[in-house]
Amino acid sequence: MSGSGFWKTLETLSPDGSVPLRQALDEIPWNADGLIPAIAQQYDTKEVLMLAWMNREALQETLENGRVCYWSRSRQQLWRKGESSGQVQELREARFDCDGDTLLLLVDQTGPACHTGRRDCFYNLVQGDRLVVDKPVLIDPETLYK
Amino acid sequence: MSGSGFWKTLETLSPDGSVPLRQALDEIPWNADGLIPAIAQQYDTKEVLMLAWMNREALQETLENGRVCYWSRSRQQLWRKGESSGQVQELREARFDCDGDTLLLLVDQTGPACHTGRRDCFYNLVQGDRLVVDKPVLIDPETLYK
């Protein structure tokens, strides 16, 4: 948690009150790895597609280009979503939560968001004492990443 | 990222294929603090309400009771959502993502999810070079937490 006075001040702003974005970017309470989680939600259907991570560079690129760029923790590099699969995310809206440590990105996702070829990453459903895969693969990953 | 063989195996399960939940719980790639992020989404309207964190105990309690319990990082204790405000989250559905390191919880949220008294926590909208507060306070926090 941030506990930052900056985000506390925003809590009590009157509706439509605002602050400079640049200032907000300076007040993000990045985690120990310099990252915050970003939730990607399809802007029209409201499906939650995935959660990934951003560092400051990824966030700035995303806001400037309008195309979503994450930080890949496994590859330790900028991850321009769709750069190899073509399944890009156009940014429609970006929001910070109340303590500034999570992003919600409203996006327009081309095709599957998940590297498995499924529309979204949340296909593992808890059902009683089982975990059930309940969403279909739309495009074979071998086709996506060939 | 997990890179765990367990979650990789699930990627290629046939639709409606399943594994024991207990096994999945043993394979969650908790972060260094023993936590994973959990996104709470209102089950019918699909609003993304908040993101919070769970340890194994919080997750097990949530799955057993059907009422959402997080781990409070600021207070370092179990956080039974709504325990002081009355604004509880009834669990409708729980899902893991493709590498098992994020939860999506479909919930029925009573009243405001946000401690500021707003319906959800994502009221800070990026608009050009400003960050704009664009969602109203529904219940004064002093009333919520009195």
Side-chain angles (χ1 to χ4, degrees):
Chain A
M1 298 290 176
S2 77
S4 149
F6 173 80
W7 299 96
K8 267 259 169 273
T9 302
L10 286 182
E11 288 184 11
T12 53
L13 269 197
S14 349
D16 296 323
S18 71
V19 293
L21 176 61
R22 189 176 34 76
Q23 192 182 350
L25 297 180
D26 287 338
E27 296 285 351
I28 295 174
W30 307 100
N31 74 9
D33 297 320
L35 304 174
I36 52 169
I39 302 161
Q41 182 179 30
Q42 174 66 26
Y43 82 100
D44 47 5
T45 63
K46 297 192 177 174
E47 305 158 85
V48 174
L49 299 168
M50 57 184 287
L51 180 141
W53 295 78
M54 286 188 166
N55 63 4
R56 180 156 179 158
E57 192 181 352
L59 174 55
Q60 279 183 320
E61 178 175 316
T62 298
L63 295 177
E64 280 162 21
N65 294 358
R67 186 164 284 194
V68 180
C69 174
Y70 300 105
W71 177 256
S72 168
R73 295 177 303 168
S74 53
R75 289 180 285 126
Q76 288 285 302
Q77 60 182 49
L78 288 176
W79 165 28
R80 296 181 178 92
K81 176 71 183 160
E83 64 193 339
S84 44
S85 67
Q87 312 299 296
V88 297
Q89 294 180 339
E90 298 287 348
L91 183 69
R92 295 297 182 106
E93 202 172 281
R95 295 177 169 276
F96 287 90
D97 76 349
C98 50
D99 48 13
D101 66 359
T102 303
L103 281 160
L104 176 63
L105 308 174
L106 281 289
V107 304
D108 193 9
Q109 169 73 53
T110 300
C114 185
H115 76 286
T116 64
R118 293 176 177 88
R119 174 65 176 170
D120 69 76
C121 297
F122 296 98
Y123 55 80
N124 295 306
L125 171 67
V126 175
Q127 206 163 67
D129 61 357
R130 308 287 297 176
L131 192 67
V132 182
V133 172
D134 77 340
K135 297 188 181 178
V137 171
L138 304 178
I139 304 180
D140 188 310
E142 289 196 15
T143 307
L144 273 181
Y145 297 97
K146 75 161 178 257
Chain B
M1 297 288 176
S2 78
S4 147
F6 174 80
W7 299 96
K8 268 257 167 275
T9 302
L10 287 183
E11 288 184 10
T12 53
L13 268 198
S14 349
D16 296 322
S18 71
V19 293
L21 176 61
R22 189 176 34 75
Q23 192 181 351
L25 297 179
D26 286 339
E27 295 283 352
I28 295 174
W30 307 99
N31 74 8
D33 298 320
L35 304 175
I36 53 170
I39 302 162
Q41 182 180 28
Q42 175 64 29
Y43 81 99
D44 46 4
T45 62
K46 296 193 179 174
E47 305 157 87
V48 174
L49 299 168
M50 57 185 284
L51 180 140
W53 296 77
M54 285 187 168
N55 61 5
R56 178 154 182 162
E57 192 182 350
L59 175 55
Q60 279 183 318
E61 178 174 316
T62 297
L63 295 177
E64 280 162 22
N65 294 358
R67 186 164 282 195
V68 180
C69 174
Y70 300 105
W71 176 256
S72 168
R73 294 177 304 168
S74 52
R75 290 180 284 127
Q76 289 285 301
Q77 59 181 49
L78 288 177
W79 165 26
R80 296 180 177 93
K81 176 72 182 159
E83 64 193 338
S84 42
S85 67
Q87 311 300 295
V88 297
Q89 295 180 339
E90 299 286 350
L91 184 69
R92 294 299 183 105
E93 203 173 280
R95 295 177 169 279
F96 288 89
D97 76 350
C98 50
D99 48 13
D101 66 359
T102 302
L103 280 160
L104 177 62
L105 308 175
L106 281 290
V107 303
D108 192 8
Q109 168 73 53
T110 301
C114 185
H115 76 287
T116 64
R118 293 176 177 87
R119 174 64 175 171
D120 70 75
C121 297
F122 296 97
Y123 55 81
N124 295 304
L125 171 67
V126 175
Q127 205 162 67
D129 62 357
R130 309 287 296 176
L131 192 66
V132 181
V133 173
D134 78 340
K135 298 189 182 179
V137 171
L138 304 179
I139 303 180
D140 187 310
E142 290 196 14
T143 307
L144 273 180
Y145 296 98
K146 76 159 179 258

